[in-house]
Amino acid sequence: MKKILIVEDEKDLAENLRDLLEALGYVVVKVFDQAQFVLEYLKTEAVDLILMDVMIKGSMDGIKLTEEIKKSHPIPVVFITAFSDQGVLERISKGKYEGYLLKPFSLQALKSAVFLALNKHAILEKDLEGASKNSLKIRDKGYVVPVSQDDILFVEADGLYSKIVTIQKTYVLRGILKEISKNLDPKKFVRVHKSFTININQVTSLNAKELVIGEHIIPIRRGFYKSLLGLIKLN
């Protein structure tokens, strides 16, 4: 059963929402009316969706609270508000959210908004999971960058670090070549030398001693030429 958190400062509406959601088969885990309680709760507990009132108690409203939550928690949020003025709508539209309900709303509107938000999030997670399987997460200048494995030309050992050489640029990743290679698709990547793991789809030519990828010449370990030749489909 999906777990829902309600953030609403109108007690009667919050209780009504709880009753409606439970009647629809959801579990309401908590009801909060201030941002600080929500952020504290989410440090230790997981929820599947948040129903977020725009105007809540405290210095942080629901829109700002959602921004804070989305920084560290990929939780779908459905806004609920009595305000329909342009300013509020523009602030909501600029952020990340999965639904919007204008008070007063019907049971059918609530049912549809919650269902669509959960479904949209499930599809997004599935897409991200598929994308992550074909990418390598690299920290670059303080940011985590998902690099497509298809764009990686080769990985070169550099002491306790490894150089990830891609079509666009070179990244330096902390970790020895053996460990980095474990995260690469074995159907695409082969360790051809003690210092190199290469993308076999990027090889343009080779001989018994070395191979060429773009402008790079990479050595091949002794006795590996015939095996490598069988794996590589030259363009």
Side-chain angles (χ1 to χ4, degrees):
M1 296 174 68
K2 297 295 184 181
K3 296 186 289 185
I4 297 178
L5 174 67
I6 297 174
V7 185
E8 170 61 63
D9 65 353
E10 293 183 38
K11 186 176 180 180
D12 291 342
L13 177 57
E15 290 304 316
N16 186 38
L17 273 172
R18 180 195 290 272
D19 292 341
L20 292 174
L21 290 167
E22 290 178 348
L24 291 171
Y26 298 107
V27 175
V28 176
V29 291
K30 284 287 183 179
V31 176
F32 293 118
D33 60 5
Q34 292 189 51
Q36 65 187 75
F37 301 133
V38 177
L39 295 173
E40 195 65 32
Y41 181 80
L42 292 178
K43 288 180 180 179
T44 57
E45 303 296 332
V47 300
D48 297 299
L49 182 136
I50 300 174
L51 281 179
M52 179 74 71
D53 189 15
V54 170
M55 302 304 295
I56 56 177
K57 294 180 180 178
S59 59
M60 189 183 299
D61 66 14
I63 299 173
K64 182 61 179 177
L65 173 56
T66 297
E67 292 175 2
E68 291 300 311
I69 292 171
K70 293 286 189 177
K71 290 179 181 178
S72 54
H73 302 284
I75 304 171
V77 172
V78 173
F79 284 113
I80 49 177
T81 181
F83 296 91
S84 59
D85 66 86
Q86 193 66 24
V88 171
L89 294 177
E90 285 182 358
R91 285 188 63 209
I92 291 175
S93 67
K94 291 178 181 178
K96 297 178 181 179
Y97 69 103
E98 284 70 33
Y100 177 87
L101 282 168
L102 185 62
K103 301 176 188 178
F105 47 81
S106 65
L107 173 61
Q108 186 58 46
L110 174 64
K111 179 180 179 180
S112 298
V114 170
F115 174 81
L116 291 173
L118 288 170
N119 191 53
K120 178 180 178 182
H121 184 68
I123 292 172
L124 178 60
E125 281 196 322
K126 186 176 180 180
D127 290 343
L128 289 174
E129 181 181 352
S132 66
K133 289 180 179 179
N134 192 44
S135 64
L136 193 66
K137 293 180 180 178
I138 298 173
R139 184 169 292 279
D140 183 43
K141 298 179 180 178
Y143 294 91
V144 175
V145 181
V147 176
S148 172
Q149 293 194 25
D150 293 331
D151 291 340
I152 297 174
L153 302 179
F154 61 88
V155 185
E156 181 181 359
D158 186 16
L160 295 176
Y161 293 82
S162 296
K163 293 180 181 178
I164 314 293
V165 180
T166 74
I167 295 172
Q168 293 83 16
K169 63 182 294 186
T170 297
Y171 300 91
V172 177
L173 186 64
R174 183 174 180 84
I176 61 175
L177 182 61
K178 181 180 179 180
E179 295 302 317
I180 301 300
S181 297
K182 288 180 181 179
N183 297 316
L184 298 171
D185 187 345
K187 294 180 181 179
K188 299 177 182 177
F189 290 86
V190 176
R191 190 166 182 178
V192 297
H193 183 271
K194 65 179 182 180
S195 297
F196 291 92
T197 292
I198 60 106
N199 184 342
I200 59 176
N201 297 324
Q202 297 288 352
V203 176
T204 54
S205 63
L206 74 161
N207 59 37
K209 294 183 178 181
E210 59 193 20
L211 59 84
V212 178
I213 296 180
E215 299 177 352
H216 306 275
I217 298 175
I218 296 170
I220 301 172
R221 70 175 184 263
R222 181 179 295 182
F224 192 59
Y225 173 68
K226 288 185 177 179
S227 297
L228 183 60
L229 194 60
L231 296 173
I232 293 175
K233 296 178 181 179
L234 297 178
N235 296 327

